[in-house]
Amino acid sequence: MFKIICITDRKNCCEDYLLRLEKIAAAKPDRIILREKELIGIDYTRFASLSMKICRKYDIPCSIHSYTATAEKLNAKDIHLPIVVLRSFSDYIRNEFQVIGASVHSAEEAAEAESLDADYVVAGHIFETQCKYGLTPRGLEFLKSVCSSVNIPVYAIGGIKPENIESVRNAGASGACIMSGLMTCKDPEKYMKELRNAVIE
């Protein structure tokens, strides 16, 4: 099944973040990754604690992004890491977490992540997006090369919408990560349905 993953971005959220997260969780994405790179230490831990409660309420898998100390404190077993962090702490990560994701930017990095026991990789950015304003997207050929380089799921990220999500699936991706679309749309449940309906199974 082609998966839809929500990446949080509270700074660009169009309403109260926790209210928006509740609406997104109710719309049943396949996973929520708590990105929020500008938060550190106790601020991220508080944010993650509140977010994880909502995810548990709706039985949505939830990944801590980058902060292994927060994951330990909250007894979280899902972690998402930049490839450089996974590379540096692979033995520790492998022993401490049940689900390991990695962000990659090349087929070589994807293969490395798989060798380090990542369960999935997120690859991008695929299309133009305000989150990477001014940066040239890597495109569908890049995505195809990443998908063909590994045997684990590849989730595409960057500018993915109902209008182009099918092309991501056709490139070999196992799913798509949506950030600004879910953080800013008028109705997350309706938007989730549009995303799922646009993918031909």
Side-chain angles (χ1 to χ4, degrees):
M1 177 182 173
F2 190 87
K3 294 188 176 182
I4 307 293
I5 296 171
C6 170
I7 312 288
T8 67
D9 182 14
R10 67 185 184 86
K11 286 180 68 177
N12 291 311
C13 187
C14 65
E15 61 183 329
D16 175 78
Y17 166 75
L18 293 177
L19 177 60
R20 171 59 47 145
L21 186 64
E22 182 118 18
K23 291 178 181 178
I24 292 171
K28 294 295 184 179
D30 295 288
R31 176 173 296 277
I32 293 175
I33 298 176
L34 306 175
R35 189 170 179 268
E36 312 307 332
K37 290 184 176 181
E38 83 287 355
L39 291 177
I40 59 174
I42 190 64
D43 291 328
Y44 183 85
T45 299
R46 287 171 178 160
F47 160 83
S49 178
L50 293 170
S51 299
M52 288 175 66
K53 287 179 182 177
I54 293 172
C55 291
R56 284 195 294 268
K57 177 180 176 181
Y58 292 92
D59 196 28
I60 305 298
C62 180
S63 295
I64 298 295
H65 193 295
S66 297
Y67 298 116
T68 56
T70 291
E72 286 184 352
K73 185 172 291 187
L74 299 178
N75 196 31
K77 293 301 180 182
D78 292 16
I79 194 80
H80 186 92
L81 301 167
I83 183 64
V84 292
V85 177
L86 179 58
R87 182 186 298 142
S88 300
F89 301 99
S90 60
D91 290 339
Y92 161 75
I93 299 299
R94 190 180 300 115
N95 292 329
E96 290 296 321
F97 297 98
Q98 295 173 358
V99 179
I100 303 167
S103 296
V104 301
H105 301 96
S106 69
E108 292 77 16
E109 287 185 350
E112 180 184 7
E114 182 176 31
S115 74
L116 295 173
D117 291 337
D119 296 290
Y120 68 88
V121 295
V122 170
H125 65 292
I126 306 304
F127 303 111
E128 288 186 4
T129 172
Q130 287 297 313
C131 299
K132 301 286 185 180
Y133 182 75
L135 295 178
T136 302
R138 292 184 168 90
L140 293 170
E141 289 303 315
F142 157 80
L143 181 59
K144 289 178 183 178
S145 71
V146 173
C147 293
S148 64
S149 70
V150 295
N151 294 309
I152 57 177
V154 175
Y155 302 129
I157 191 170
I160 300 171
K161 306 172 183 178
E163 306 93 84
N164 60 29
I165 194 170
E166 175 65 3
S167 65
V168 165
R169 179 183 180 274
N170 290 339
S174 297
C177 297
I178 312 296
M179 186 162 62
S180 59
L182 284 169
M183 291 284 115
T184 62
C185 67
K186 184 175 181 180
D187 184 339
E189 182 178 7
K190 180 181 178 182
Y191 194 71
M192 185 70 70
K193 287 179 180 178
E194 290 175 358
L195 289 164
R196 293 204 186 277
N197 289 340
V199 181
I200 301 170
E201 294 288 355

